[in-house]
Amino acid sequence: MAEENQPIDTRADYDVTEQIGHLLRRATQRHTAIFQNNIGDPQLTAIQFVTLCALYDRGPSSQIELVEATAVDQATIRGIINRLKARGLVLLSTSDDDKRKVIISLSAEGLALIQSLIPKAQRISQLTVERLNPAEQVAIIYLLKKMSDEGEEIS
C-alpha cells in the first residue's frame, strides 16, 4: 500500500501525445504548413485569408462583425486589418449611421486577390484531409464543427 505522502505515478495513465489538445495542435501545424506552401502569397497568413473571406462573403463589415465572423479577438483583428490596409487589400470608411464606427471593405485589389486564392484554398483543404478516406473527411468536419459550436458554456 502506498504511503499517503507519496506522489502517485500517473505516467502510465497519461501520454501527452495521445491527448486531444496535442493532436489538434499538431493537425493545425500541419494545415498551416500546407497553407503557407500552397497559397502562393508569402505575405498572407491563414487568419488574414479568413478575414478577407469574411469580407468577401459578408461585404463591408465593422470590426465587431469581423470578430464574430472570424472568431479572432478584437486586438488581433485590429492588427490584421492594419496589415491588410497597408497592402492595399482593404479600405476603411466610417459608417453612415455612426461616424465613430469604422467599416472595412475589400479594395478592388483585395477582391481580385481573394477570388484568385479561393481555388488554391480549396486545394489546401483537400491536401489537409488527403490521408483520410471520404467517410473520415465528412466525419472530421462534422466533429470539429460539433466541438467548436458556439453558445455552449465552456467548463
Side-chain angles (χ1 to χ4, degrees), residues 136-149:
E136 291 169 331
Q137 291 177 19
V138 170
I140 191 115
I141 297 298
Y142 171 81
L143 294 170
L144 288 170
K145 285 180 177 179
K146 187 172 183 177
M147 285 177 65
S148 63
D149 272 349

Side-chain angles (χ1 to χ4, degrees), residues 50-66 69-70 90-91 93 102-107 111 114:
V50 167
T51 303
L52 292 173
C53 285
L55 290 168
Y56 182 68
D57 293 342
R58 299 169 69 113
S61 302
S62 69
Q63 277 187 269
I64 297 294
E65 292 167 331
L66 286 178
T70 61
V90 298
L91 304 170
S93 61
V102 175
I103 302 298
I104 303 98
S105 58
L106 289 174
S107 66
L111 177 61
I114 196 67

Side-chain angles (χ1 to χ4, degrees), residues 11-28:
R11 288 178 288 187
D13 298 332
Y14 189 85
D15 179 355
V16 71
T17 64
E18 296 295 320
Q19 303 307 309
I20 187 71
H22 177 77
L23 294 169
L24 285 170
R25 185 179 61 77
R26 294 284 310 265
T28 299

